[in-house]
């Protein structure tokens, strides 16, 4: 079966950094676009970052652009989210998701397009 398992969340202070990982199994990882989404308490799920299956294109929400970086390592079947200069408003449960060979625009911010989802990892940023 397909599994996406997030890790790397935790409690940090404003200005600190975290690196989230999402390990995939049960699929041919290199054939999937990958995305990161987050859900803050009492809020709707929102797009954070996306990366094409070819790794040639990356996309970011305006709220994280310049602070967060998405990357993938196909040899490890893993997608990463490097989060720098964290703010209290970044506090949320972060989810990774996989989308089979999508292309065009804009595939990345549309959660209904994704085939598989992880269970999430908590990120808490204190002021």
């Amino acid at each position: 079966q397909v599994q996406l398992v997030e890790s790397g969340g935790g409690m940090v202070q404003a200005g600190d950094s975290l690196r989230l990982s999402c390990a995939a199994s049960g699929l041919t990882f290199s054939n999937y676009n990958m995305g990161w989404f987050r859900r803050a308490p009492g809020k709707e799920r929102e797009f954070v970052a996306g990366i094409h299956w070819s790794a040639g294109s990356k996309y970011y929400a305006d709220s994280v652009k310049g602070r967060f970086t998405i990357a993938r390592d196909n040899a490890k079947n893993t997608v990463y989210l490097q989060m720098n200069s964290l703010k209290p408003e970044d506090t949320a449960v972060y989810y990774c998701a996989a989308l089979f060979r999508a292309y065009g625009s804009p595939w990345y911010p549309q959660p209904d397009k994704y085939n598989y989802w992880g269970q999430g990892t908590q990120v808490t940023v204190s002021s």
Side-chain angles (χ1 to χ4, degrees):
Q1 78 285 3
V2 173
Q3 289 192 84
L4 304 177
V5 181
E6 301 95 336
S7 62
M11 296 177 287
V12 299
Q13 297 184 73
D16 286 351
S17 297
L18 281 174
R19 189 193 196 198
L20 305 184
S21 298
C22 173
S25 61
L27 52 75
T28 302
F29 183 73
S30 61
N31 285 336
Y32 285 81
N33 298 25
M34 300 298 296
W36 286 97
F37 293 77
R38 67 187 182 187
R39 189 182 73 246
K43 301 293 184 65
E44 296 282 345
R45 173 180 52 187
E46 66 175 351
F47 168 75
V48 177
I51 185 168
H52 195 257
W53 60 267
S54 71
S57 299
K58 299 177 181 180
Y59 305 91
Y60 299 95
D62 289 343
S63 60
V64 307
K65 195 168 188 177
R67 299 189 297 121
F68 290 12
T69 303
I70 189 171
R72 66 190 298 156
D73 186 340
N74 287 351
K76 297 181 178 180
N77 284 5
T78 300
V79 63
Y80 304 96
L81 185 68
Q82 178 67 45
M83 306 186 296
N84 297 330
S85 301
L86 283 162
K87 304 174 180 180
E89 49 263 47
D90 295 318
T91 295
V93 177
Y94 284 71
Y95 302 89
C96 67
L99 172 57
F100 182 75
R101 282 184 169 266
Y103 62 91
S105 182
W107 59 266
Y108 43 91
Q110 302 182 60
D112 290 348
K113 289 186 175 292
Y114 288 79
N115 305 113
Y116 305 107
W117 291 83
Q119 291 297 308
T121 186
Q122 177 72 47
V123 172
T124 303
V125 184
S126 62
S127 60

